[in-house]
Amino acid sequence: MAKKTAKNLRNMTMYQVFVRNFSEDGSFNSVKEKLPEIRALGTDIIWLMPIHPIGKLQRKGTLGSPYAISDYRAVNPEFGTIEDFKSLVDEIHAQGMKCIIDVVYNHTSPDSVLSSLHPSWFYHKEDGSFGNRIGDWSDIIDLDYSNTDLWRYQIDTLKLWASIVDGFRCDVAPLIPLDFWLQARKEVEEVRPGCIWLSESVEPGFITYLRGRGMTALSDSEIYQAFDMCYDYDVYGEWRDYLSGKGSLARYAEAVNRQEYIYPDNYIKLRFLENHDQPRAAYLIPDDKARRSWTAFTCFQKGMTLIYAGQEYGIEHLPSLFDKDTVPFDSADKDEREFLRTLADIKKQDVFTDSTYHVTAVSDSFLVAAHTGKSRQALGVFSVKGESAWVPVEFEDGVYTNLIDNSDVEVFRGGIRSCGEPIILIR
């Protein structure tokens, strides 16, 4: 684990923005106008998906993927100027939030600045042409980190951006050598002390697949040596299996509990129900009660909470990565902003900063989770199917306040009556 990783990252909420589809004009300035609303959700960190120019060669869709970058050291002119970007970051800071940007270092667009100036820095197929090692990523070409000159360029680029922003979300970070990330973190720290490092770690099956092809594929345990946080894709498969009826809730709970003893004491997981690569929560979980319980459970979990722009309105449609596809904020028929703000406020309690954590599946419909700190305990009861039932808990009998809605909840003879809505108690 990165030794300087602060446990209070577990008390924070991150909000993800895809600039192109966040507004009709898809600009930095439009994001800037919405910052008070984002902050009002209890947001601590804004993550901007790639802000750089997109390649034109082999584009997918009409506008291309933001992950097919042509120039790491410039901003996408469709979003605005570098001055517009700096102004956005300044306002994010003025609103009391931090800003991290996407780093896409495994690959570039085929017509990138680097492919023209430094073709030897890239992976080449047997015929000598550029290529990539993941078949469906047809709009990009892979970099080759056996070249140390590439390391120097990439780290210097990080230091350039670190003079402006507070951290980085690193795309498919496990595909890049660990030693590169360790050196990058060390050098960036000199420019931005306390820089935040988030790894898009990958699914277990993808790791074994890549290793079987002789490629670099870092496990979460390796990633934690250089990064503060990584995705919880190590348990995402069990969660999706439960939703689809292929797996049990108990199996998912076991996977979450395993994180407590296989990772270092200060491990931070990015907890999410949705992101730009996965279906929307409202699409996966159409029942409002069940979705509220899953949302509350996500925020209750040990780690940082991620909200993808539009999730606060229960939007079902996942925006395209390749075309103009504006998030329909104005036409949304749900409003979960106050709910998310309440959860973000609850998450600030110190019991969530440093605790032992355990999750229990009660039948196949309820999760009971507990944080046990030095002097306080937090209990969460989550009806993940929106059902009512009596639920056994290990919590001292008494009458408590449900921090979500301020209602009275009685623990009596080792149990709680659930009406299908999430419950969070602290004593």
Side-chain angles (χ1 to χ4, degrees), residues 229 287 365 390:
M229 297 180 283
D287 181 81
S365 301
W390 182 87

Side-chain angles (χ1 to χ4, degrees), residues 351-369:
V351 69
F352 297 103
T353 311
D354 193 4
S355 67
T356 56
Y357 180 61
H358 190 268
V359 183
T360 302
V362 178
S363 71
D364 212 40
S365 301
F366 286 85
L367 287 171
V368 176

Side-chain angles (χ1 to χ4, degrees), residues 15-39 41 43 46-49 79 88 280 307-313 315 319-320 323-330:
Y15 189 89
Q16 178 186 359
V17 173
F18 181 12
V19 176
R20 175 197 292 163
N21 288 332
F22 188 71
S23 63
E24 284 298 331
D25 72 348
S27 70
F28 293 132
N29 288 333
S30 289
V31 177
K32 185 177 176 180
E33 292 172 4
K34 293 285 188 179
L35 290 180
E37 296 177 34
I38 296 173
R39 178 58 172 162
L41 296 172
T43 302
I46 291 180
W47 155 25
L48 300 176
M49 289 168 59
F79 299 167
L88 169 59
R280 290 282 199 181
I307 303 298
Y308 185 27
Q311 183 176 344
E312 67 269 34
Y313 289 99
I315 292 171
S320 169
D323 303 285
K324 182 62 179 173
D325 189 11
T326 307
V327 177
F329 290 105
D330 294 338

Side-chain angles (χ1 to χ4, degrees), residues 273-294:
L273 293 181
E274 61 180 68
N275 60 50
H276 68 277
D277 284 324
Q278 304 299 340
R280 290 282 199 181
Y283 176 81
L284 285 174
I285 313 164
D287 181 81
D288 289 345
K289 272 190 174 182
R291 190 174 63 258
R292 278 195 295 273
S293 278
W294 276 117

Side-chain angles (χ1 to χ4, degrees), residues 1-3 5 173-174 176-179 181-182 185 199-204 207 211 217-234 258-269:
M1 187 78 184
K3 293 180 180 179
T5 295
I176 296 165
L178 177 60
D179 285 344
W181 292 124
L182 290 168
R185 180 174 182 127
S199 163
E200 184 205 18
S201 48
V202 297
E203 297 90 335
I207 292 174
R211 288 178 175 178
L218 304 175
S219 67
D220 284 10
S221 295
E222 292 171 298
I223 281 291
Y224 272 133
Q225 296 178 53
F227 285 82
D228 299 305
M229 297 180 283
C230 66
Y231 278 39
D232 62 352
Y233 276 145
D234 54 326
R258 190 161 54 243
Q259 294 175 333
E260 275 290 279
Y261 57 82
I262 65 173
Y263 299 135
D265 177 62
N266 61 339
Y267 82 96
I268 316 288
K269 278 286 180 178

Side-chain angles (χ1 to χ4, degrees), residues 144-280:
D144 179 1
Y145 279 83
S146 66
N147 192 309
T148 55
D149 289 338
L150 171 62
W151 287 37
R152 184 70 271 144
Y153 181 91
Q154 298 291 62
I155 292 173
D156 285 347
T157 302
L158 287 170
K159 292 164 73 174
L160 183 156
W161 291 111
S163 67
I164 303 170
V165 301
D166 305 288
F168 305 104
R169 177 267 185 189
C170 300
D171 188 65
V172 290
L175 277 64
I176 296 165
L178 177 60
D179 285 344
F180 170 82
W181 292 124
L182 290 168
Q183 182 175 332
R185 180 174 182 127
K186 180 179 179 181
E187 293 194 33
V188 168
E189 188 70 14
E190 298 172 0
V191 176
R192 176 70 62 172
C195 182
I196 299 166
W197 292 86
L198 166 62
S199 163
E200 184 205 18
S201 48
V202 297
E203 297 90 335
F206 194 38
I207 292 174
T208 55
Y209 167 74
L210 295 175
R211 288 178 175 178
R213 299 182 62 189
M215 295 174 60
T216 297
L218 304 175
S219 67
D220 284 10
S221 295
E222 292 171 298
I223 281 291
Y224 272 133
Q225 296 178 53
F227 285 82
D228 299 305
M229 297 180 283
C230 66
Y231 278 39
D232 62 352
Y233 276 145
D234 54 326
V235 301
Y236 186 78
E238 283 83 356
W239 182 66
R240 286 291 298 272
D241 283 349
Y242 169 72
L243 292 183
S244 66
K246 296 179 182 178
S248 69
L249 196 59
R251 185 182 176 196
Y252 170 65
E254 289 171 2
V256 173
N257 289 332
R258 190 161 54 243
Q259 294 175 333
E260 275 290 279
Y261 57 82
I262 65 173
Y263 299 135
D265 177 62
N266 61 339
Y267 82 96
I268 316 288
K269 278 286 180 178
L270 185 70
R271 307 292 186 175
F272 59 87
L273 293 181
E274 61 180 68
N275 60 50
H276 68 277
D277 284 324
Q278 304 299 340
R280 290 282 199 181

